[in-house]
Protein backbone atom coordinates (compact mmCIF):
# COMPACT_ATOMS: atom_id res chain seq x y z
CA UNK A 1 0.00 0.00 0.00
CA UNK A 2 1.48 3.31 -1.10
CA UNK A 3 1.04 6.31 1.14
CA UNK A 4 -0.16 9.30 -0.81
CA UNK A 5 1.16 12.64 0.44
CA UNK A 6 -1.43 14.97 1.90
CA UNK A 7 -2.07 18.06 -0.19
CA UNK A 8 -0.40 21.11 1.25
CA UNK A 9 -2.37 24.27 1.73
CA UNK A 10 -1.27 27.31 -0.18
CA UNK A 11 0.17 29.96 2.13
CA UNK A 12 -2.16 32.86 2.77
CA UNK A 13 -1.39 36.41 1.75
CA UNK A 14 -0.82 37.34 5.39
CA UNK A 15 1.80 34.62 5.88
CA UNK A 16 3.52 35.59 2.63
CA UNK A 17 3.57 39.21 3.74
CA UNK A 18 5.06 38.31 7.13
CA UNK A 19 7.80 36.31 5.38
CA UNK A 20 8.65 39.08 2.92
CA UNK A 21 12.00 40.84 2.80
CA UNK A 22 10.30 44.11 3.77
CA UNK A 23 9.04 42.71 7.09
CA UNK A 24 12.39 40.99 7.69
CA UNK A 25 14.24 44.28 7.36
CA UNK A 26 11.69 45.97 9.61
CA UNK A 27 12.21 43.40 12.38
CA UNK A 28 15.97 43.81 12.17
CA UNK A 29 15.79 47.59 12.64
CA UNK A 30 15.28 48.56 16.31
CA UNK A 31 14.83 52.22 15.38
CA UNK A 32 12.01 51.38 12.97
CA UNK A 33 10.28 49.09 15.47
CA UNK A 34 10.46 51.61 18.33
CA UNK A 35 9.35 54.47 16.06
CA UNK A 36 6.43 52.42 14.79
CA UNK A 37 5.31 51.51 18.32
CA UNK A 38 5.56 55.12 19.53
CA UNK A 39 3.71 56.46 16.48
CA UNK A 40 1.04 53.77 16.78
CA UNK A 41 0.44 54.54 20.48
CA UNK A 42 0.13 58.27 19.79
CA UNK A 43 -2.16 57.80 16.79
CA UNK A 44 -4.42 55.38 18.65
CA UNK A 45 -4.50 57.76 21.62
CA UNK A 46 -5.65 60.56 19.32
CA UNK A 47 -8.22 58.46 17.47
CA UNK A 48 -9.77 57.10 20.67
CA UNK A 49 -9.40 60.34 22.63
CA UNK A 50 -13.12 60.47 23.59
CA UNK A 51 -12.77 57.03 25.19
CA UNK A 52 -9.35 57.51 26.80
CA UNK A 53 -9.42 61.14 27.95
CA UNK A 54 -10.81 61.49 31.49
CA UNK A 55 -12.27 64.92 30.61
CA UNK A 56 -13.55 66.75 27.56
CA UNK A 57 -11.40 69.91 27.51
CA UNK A 58 -13.64 71.52 24.85
CA UNK A 59 -16.75 71.34 27.03
CA UNK A 60 -16.97 74.58 29.06
CA UNK A 61 -19.58 73.05 31.37
CA UNK A 62 -17.06 70.48 32.64
CA UNK A 63 -14.36 73.04 33.51
CA UNK A 64 -13.69 74.30 37.00
CA UNK A 65 -11.53 77.41 37.25
CA UNK A 66 -10.61 76.41 40.79
CA UNK A 67 -8.61 73.54 39.29
CA UNK A 68 -6.39 75.95 37.36
CA UNK A 69 -2.61 75.50 37.56
CA UNK A 70 -2.86 72.14 39.34
CA UNK A 71 0.55 70.44 39.42
CA UNK A 72 0.95 66.95 37.92
CA UNK A 73 -0.09 64.10 40.24
CA UNK A 74 -0.73 66.58 43.05
CA UNK A 75 -4.16 67.20 44.64
CA UNK A 76 -5.50 70.68 44.05
CA UNK A 77 -5.39 72.88 47.16
CA UNK A 78 -9.00 74.07 46.68
CA UNK A 79 -10.91 71.14 45.17
CA UNK A 80 -8.70 68.17 46.09
CA UNK A 81 -8.83 66.88 42.48
CA UNK A 82 -5.69 65.25 41.07
CA UNK A 83 -4.63 65.23 37.41
CA UNK A 84 -1.98 63.06 35.77
CA UNK A 85 -0.25 65.87 33.85
CA UNK A 86 -1.72 68.83 35.71
CA UNK A 87 -4.06 71.53 34.39
CA UNK A 88 -3.71 74.80 32.51
CA UNK A 89 -4.90 78.28 33.50
CA UNK A 90 -8.53 77.41 32.70
CA UNK A 91 -8.56 74.20 34.71
CA UNK A 92 -8.39 71.95 31.64
CA UNK A 93 -6.72 68.59 32.12
CA UNK A 94 -3.42 68.72 30.17
CA UNK A 95 -3.53 64.99 29.38
CA UNK A 96 -6.98 65.36 27.83
CA UNK A 97 -6.03 68.47 25.89
CA UNK A 98 -2.98 66.67 24.47
CA UNK A 99 -5.12 63.77 23.22
CA UNK A 100 -7.68 66.08 21.62
CA UNK A 101 -4.95 68.39 20.31
CA UNK A 102 -3.20 65.47 18.62
CA UNK A 103 -6.42 64.68 16.76
CA UNK A 104 -6.37 68.11 15.14
CA UNK A 105 -2.62 68.01 14.44
CA UNK A 106 -2.79 64.56 12.85
CA UNK A 107 -5.91 65.40 10.85
CA UNK A 108 -4.41 68.61 9.49
CA UNK A 109 -1.08 66.94 8.73
CA UNK A 110 -2.57 63.88 7.00
CA UNK A 111 -5.12 65.90 5.01
CA UNK A 112 -2.49 68.45 3.93
CA UNK A 113 -0.10 65.70 2.77
CA UNK A 114 -2.92 63.96 0.90
CA UNK A 115 -3.88 67.21 -0.82
CA UNK A 116 -0.25 67.99 -1.69
CA UNK A 117 0.30 64.43 -2.93
CA UNK A 118 -2.74 64.46 -5.24
CA UNK A 119 -1.85 67.89 -6.62
CA UNK A 120 1.85 67.08 -7.01
CA UNK A 121 1.26 63.70 -8.65
CA UNK A 122 -1.23 65.18 -11.11
CA UNK A 123 1.05 68.04 -12.13
CA UNK A 124 4.12 65.79 -12.19
CA UNK A 125 2.43 63.28 -14.50
CA UNK A 126 1.28 66.04 -16.83
CA UNK A 127 4.70 67.68 -16.90
CA UNK A 128 6.60 64.44 -17.47
CA UNK A 129 4.26 62.80 -19.99
CA UNK A 130 3.07 65.77 -22.06
CA UNK A 131 6.24 67.85 -21.91
CA UNK A 132 6.57 71.02 -23.93
CA UNK A 133 5.05 74.24 -22.59
CA UNK A 134 3.05 72.30 -20.01
CA UNK A 135 6.24 70.99 -18.43
CA UNK A 136 7.96 74.37 -18.66
CA UNK A 137 5.14 76.27 -16.94
CA UNK A 138 4.66 73.71 -14.14
CA UNK A 139 8.36 73.35 -13.40
CA UNK A 140 9.04 77.10 -13.47
CA UNK A 141 6.22 77.64 -10.96
CA UNK A 142 7.76 74.91 -8.81
CA UNK A 143 11.21 76.51 -9.07
CA UNK A 144 9.85 79.90 -8.03
CA UNK A 145 8.05 78.40 -5.04
CA UNK A 146 11.20 76.57 -3.95
CA UNK A 147 12.97 79.91 -3.53
CA UNK A 148 10.70 80.73 -0.58
CA UNK A 149 10.58 78.82 2.73
CA UNK A 150 7.51 76.60 2.83
CA UNK A 151 6.36 78.03 6.17
CA UNK A 152 6.30 81.55 4.67
CA UNK A 153 4.33 80.29 1.67
CA UNK A 154 1.86 78.61 4.02
CA UNK A 155 1.50 81.80 6.08
CA UNK A 156 0.92 83.86 2.91
CA UNK A 157 -1.73 81.46 1.58
CA UNK A 158 -3.37 81.21 5.01
CA UNK A 159 -3.50 85.00 5.33
CA UNK A 160 -5.02 85.48 1.87
CA UNK A 161 -7.59 82.71 2.34
CA UNK A 162 -8.54 83.96 5.77
CA UNK A 163 -8.89 87.50 4.45
CA UNK A 164 -11.43 86.48 1.81
CA UNK A 165 -13.39 84.30 4.25
CA UNK A 166 -16.37 86.02 5.94
CA UNK A 167 -15.70 86.92 9.57
CA UNK A 168 -18.51 84.75 10.93
CA UNK A 169 -17.06 81.64 9.23
CA UNK A 170 -13.37 82.13 9.96
CA UNK A 171 -13.19 79.90 13.04
CA UNK A 172 -15.23 77.20 11.30
CA UNK A 173 -13.09 77.30 8.16
CA UNK A 174 -9.72 77.80 9.90
CA UNK A 175 -8.83 74.09 9.88
CA UNK A 176 -9.64 73.67 6.17
CA UNK A 177 -7.81 76.86 5.26
CA UNK A 178 -4.82 75.54 7.21
CA UNK A 179 -4.92 72.26 5.28
CA UNK A 180 -5.02 74.05 1.93
CA UNK A 181 -2.20 76.41 2.95
CA UNK A 182 0.15 73.61 4.03
CA UNK A 183 -0.81 71.45 1.04
CA UNK A 184 -0.12 74.22 -1.48
CA UNK A 185 3.28 74.83 0.12
CA UNK A 186 4.36 71.15 -0.11
CA UNK A 187 3.22 69.94 -3.55
CA UNK A 188 6.49 70.82 -5.30
CA UNK A 189 8.55 67.88 -4.05
CA UNK A 190 5.89 65.40 -5.17
CA UNK A 191 5.67 66.99 -8.60
CA UNK A 192 9.44 66.99 -9.16
CA UNK A 193 9.87 63.34 -8.18
CA UNK A 194 6.87 62.15 -10.22
CA UNK A 195 7.96 64.17 -13.23
CA UNK A 196 11.46 62.64 -13.15
CA UNK A 197 10.09 59.11 -12.79
CA UNK A 198 7.54 59.71 -15.56
CA UNK A 199 10.27 60.83 -17.97
CA UNK A 200 11.93 57.45 -17.45
CA UNK A 201 8.79 55.32 -17.56
CA UNK A 202 7.18 56.85 -20.66
CA UNK A 203 10.05 55.62 -22.86
CA UNK A 204 9.66 51.97 -21.85
CA UNK A 205 8.14 49.20 -23.95
CA UNK A 206 4.92 48.77 -21.98
CA UNK A 207 3.96 52.40 -22.66
CA UNK A 208 4.64 51.92 -26.38
CA UNK A 209 2.51 48.76 -26.31
CA UNK A 210 -0.32 50.63 -24.61
CA UNK A 211 -0.20 53.31 -27.30
CA UNK A 212 -0.20 50.62 -29.98
CA UNK A 213 -3.44 49.07 -28.76
CA UNK A 214 -5.13 52.46 -28.67
CA UNK A 215 -4.93 53.50 -25.02
CA UNK A 216 -5.60 57.17 -24.42
CA UNK A 217 -3.03 59.39 -22.69
CA UNK A 218 -5.03 59.72 -19.42
CA UNK A 219 -5.44 55.92 -19.28
CA UNK A 220 -1.72 55.38 -19.86
CA UNK A 221 -0.79 57.88 -17.15
CA UNK A 222 -3.23 56.50 -14.56
CA UNK A 223 -3.18 52.77 -15.25
CA UNK A 224 0.37 52.18 -16.43
CA UNK A 225 2.76 54.94 -15.38
CA UNK A 226 1.26 55.95 -12.02
CA UNK A 227 1.64 52.51 -10.32
CA UNK A 228 5.33 52.47 -11.28
CA UNK A 229 6.13 55.86 -9.75
CA UNK A 230 4.35 55.44 -6.42
CA UNK A 231 7.23 53.93 -4.42
CA UNK A 232 9.23 57.16 -4.00
CA UNK A 233 5.97 59.08 -3.54
CA UNK A 234 5.01 56.97 -0.51
CA UNK A 235 8.40 57.63 1.06
CA UNK A 236 8.07 61.37 0.50
CA UNK A 237 4.53 61.29 1.90
CA UNK A 238 5.71 59.66 5.12
CA UNK A 239 8.46 62.21 5.66
CA UNK A 240 6.15 65.06 4.61
CA UNK A 241 3.63 63.99 7.27
CA UNK A 242 6.11 64.84 10.02
CA UNK A 243 6.94 68.13 8.32
CA UNK A 244 3.24 68.97 7.91
CA UNK A 245 2.59 68.31 11.60
CA UNK A 246 5.48 70.60 12.51
CA UNK A 247 4.24 73.24 10.04
CA UNK A 248 0.76 73.12 11.58
CA UNK A 249 2.24 73.44 15.07
CA UNK A 250 4.41 76.36 13.92
CA UNK A 251 1.48 78.22 12.40
CA UNK A 252 -0.69 77.57 15.44
CA UNK A 253 2.17 78.66 17.73
CA UNK A 254 2.38 81.92 15.79
CA UNK A 255 -1.37 82.42 16.22
CA UNK A 256 -2.34 81.93 12.56
CA UNK A 257 -3.37 78.27 12.72
CA UNK A 258 -6.00 76.35 14.62
CA UNK A 259 -8.58 78.52 16.45
CA UNK A 260 -8.47 78.77 20.26
CA UNK A 261 -11.78 76.89 20.47
CA UNK A 262 -10.12 73.82 18.89
CA UNK A 263 -6.49 74.00 20.02
CA UNK A 264 -3.88 71.76 18.43
CA UNK A 265 -0.49 70.85 19.89
CA UNK A 266 0.96 74.09 18.54
CA UNK A 267 -1.77 76.13 20.22
CA UNK A 268 -1.17 74.32 23.52
CA UNK A 269 2.54 75.07 23.30
CA UNK A 270 1.81 78.75 22.65
CA UNK A 271 -0.50 78.84 25.67
CA UNK A 272 2.08 77.08 27.84
CA UNK A 273 4.81 79.51 26.87
CA UNK A 274 2.94 82.32 28.64
CA UNK A 275 3.27 80.49 31.96
CA UNK A 276 6.70 78.89 31.57
CA UNK A 277 8.64 81.49 33.56
CA UNK A 278 6.00 81.74 36.28
CA UNK A 279 6.62 78.13 37.39
CA UNK A 280 3.82 76.28 35.53
CA UNK A 281 6.29 74.36 33.36
CA UNK A 282 4.03 71.36 32.72
CA UNK A 283 1.59 73.35 30.56
CA UNK A 284 4.34 73.73 27.93
CA UNK A 285 6.52 70.69 28.62
CA UNK A 286 4.08 67.82 28.04
CA UNK A 287 2.53 69.12 24.76
CA UNK A 288 6.03 69.93 23.46
CA UNK A 289 7.31 66.43 24.31
CA UNK A 290 4.27 64.89 22.63
CA UNK A 291 4.86 66.90 19.45
CA UNK A 292 8.54 65.94 19.51
CA UNK A 293 7.77 62.24 19.94
CA UNK A 294 5.13 62.28 17.20
CA UNK A 295 7.20 64.16 14.62
CA UNK A 296 10.42 62.27 15.41
CA UNK A 297 8.81 58.80 15.24
CA UNK A 298 7.10 59.54 11.91
CA UNK A 299 10.29 61.06 10.50
CA UNK A 300 12.41 58.07 11.54
CA UNK A 301 9.86 55.73 9.97
CA UNK A 302 10.09 57.71 6.76
CA UNK A 303 13.89 57.53 6.76
CA UNK A 304 13.79 53.77 7.29
CA UNK A 305 11.15 53.35 4.58
CA UNK A 306 13.32 55.30 2.14
CA UNK A 307 16.29 53.01 2.82
CA UNK A 308 14.17 49.84 2.72
CA UNK A 309 12.66 50.66 -0.66
CA UNK A 310 16.00 51.71 -2.18
CA UNK A 311 17.45 48.68 -4.01
CA UNK A 312 20.92 50.25 -4.06
CA UNK A 313 21.14 50.05 -0.24
CA UNK A 314 20.21 46.38 0.06
Amino acid sequence: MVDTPLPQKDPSRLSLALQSDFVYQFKRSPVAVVSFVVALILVLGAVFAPLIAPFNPFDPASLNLMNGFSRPMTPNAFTGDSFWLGTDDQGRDVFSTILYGMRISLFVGAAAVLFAMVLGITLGLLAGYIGGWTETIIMRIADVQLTFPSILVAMLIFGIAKGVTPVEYRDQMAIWVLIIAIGLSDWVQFARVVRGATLVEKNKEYVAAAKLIGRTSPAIMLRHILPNVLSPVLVIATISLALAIIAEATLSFLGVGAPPTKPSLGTLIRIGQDFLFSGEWWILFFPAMTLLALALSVNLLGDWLRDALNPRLR
Side-chain angles (χ1 to χ4, degrees):
M1 185 174 180
V2 180
D3 295 334
T4 57
L6 296 176
Q8 297 182 353
K9 295 183 179 181
D10 294 333
S12 62
R13 292 184 178 180
L14 179 60
S15 61
L16 290 176
L18 294 177
Q19 297 173 5
S20 64
D21 183 58
F22 183 82
V23 176
Y24 175 76
Q25 293 185 50
F26 176 76
K27 293 179 179 179
R28 287 178 58 87
S29 176
V31 175
V33 173
V34 173
S35 300
F36 176 77
V37 171
V38 172
L40 182 63
I41 292 174
L42 294 175
V43 171
L44 291 179
V47 172
F48 297 103
L51 302 177
I52 300 175
F55 304 96
N56 183 359
F58 301 155
D59 182 13
S62 63
L63 299 181
N64 186 354
L65 294 178
M66 300 297 291
N67 284 325
F69 300 118
S70 297
R71 301 183 69 86
M73 302 298 294
T74 303
N76 185 273
F78 299 100
T79 63
D81 297 331
S82 180
F83 303 90
W84 293 349
L85 303 183
T87 61
D88 60 6
D89 58 322
Q90 302 180 26
R92 296 182 299 188
D93 178 35
V94 173
F95 177 70
S96 300
T97 57
I98 288 175
L99 293 179
Y100 278 87
M102 274 197 304
R103 301 185 83 186
I104 297 177
S105 296
L106 285 171
F107 174 73
V108 171
V113 170
L114 181 62
F115 175 65
M117 184 169 60
V118 172
L119 180 61
I121 288 175
T122 302
L123 295 178
L125 282 174
L126 292 175
Y129 188 80
I130 298 177
W133 283 104
T134 302
E135 179 184 12
T136 301
I137 293 173
I138 294 175
M139 289 298 102
R140 294 300 78 77
I141 294 175
D143 292 339
V144 171
Q145 184 167 330
L146 283 176
T147 60
F148 299 94
S150 59
I151 191 66
L152 293 182
V153 176
M155 290 180 65
L156 176 63
I157 297 172
F158 184 87
I160 296 175
K162 191 173 181 179
V164 300
T165 304
V167 178
E168 60 271 18
Y169 297 109
R170 285 183 180 177
D171 286 345
Q172 301 176 12
M173 299 296 296
I175 298 298
W176 298 105
V177 172
L178 190 59
I179 291 171
I180 295 174
I182 297 176
L184 289 177
S185 65
D186 289 339
W187 66 271
V188 175
Q189 53 187 342
F190 292 98
R192 290 171 65 90
V193 171
V194 172
R195 174 217 173 229
T198 303
L199 289 175
V200 176
E201 295 295 328
K202 75 174 185 178
N203 295 320
K204 293 186 176 180
E205 289 80 3
Y206 71 89
V207 176
K211 292 180 180 179
L212 188 63
I213 63 176
R215 292 279 189 181
T216 61
S217 295
I220 293 175
M221 287 188 290
L222 295 177
R223 295 187 179 182
H224 300 282
I225 296 180
L226 179 59
N228 292 288
V229 301
L230 282 181
S231 294
V233 170
L234 294 178
V235 176
I236 295 176
T238 306
I239 298 176
S240 297
L241 177 59
L243 298 178
I245 293 173
I246 295 175
E248 182 279 325
T250 303
L251 293 174
S252 298
F253 179 81
L254 296 175
V256 294
T261 55
K262 295 181 179 179
S264 64
L265 291 177
T267 309
L268 297 177
I269 294 173
R270 176 170 59 84
I271 294 173
Q273 185 193 28
D274 298 334
F275 306 101
L276 177 62
F277 296 104
S278 61
E280 290 79 15
W281 55 269
W282 60 90
I283 303 177
L284 170 66
F285 178 77
F286 292 116
M289 288 298 101
T290 303
L291 176 63
L292 175 63
L294 180 61
L296 183 60
S297 61
V298 174
N299 198 14
L300 290 176
L301 274 178
D303 289 341
W304 172 84
L305 189 62
R306 177 191 57 197
D307 297 339
L309 296 179
N310 190 350
R312 296 180 180 179
L313 300 178
R314 294 183 181 178

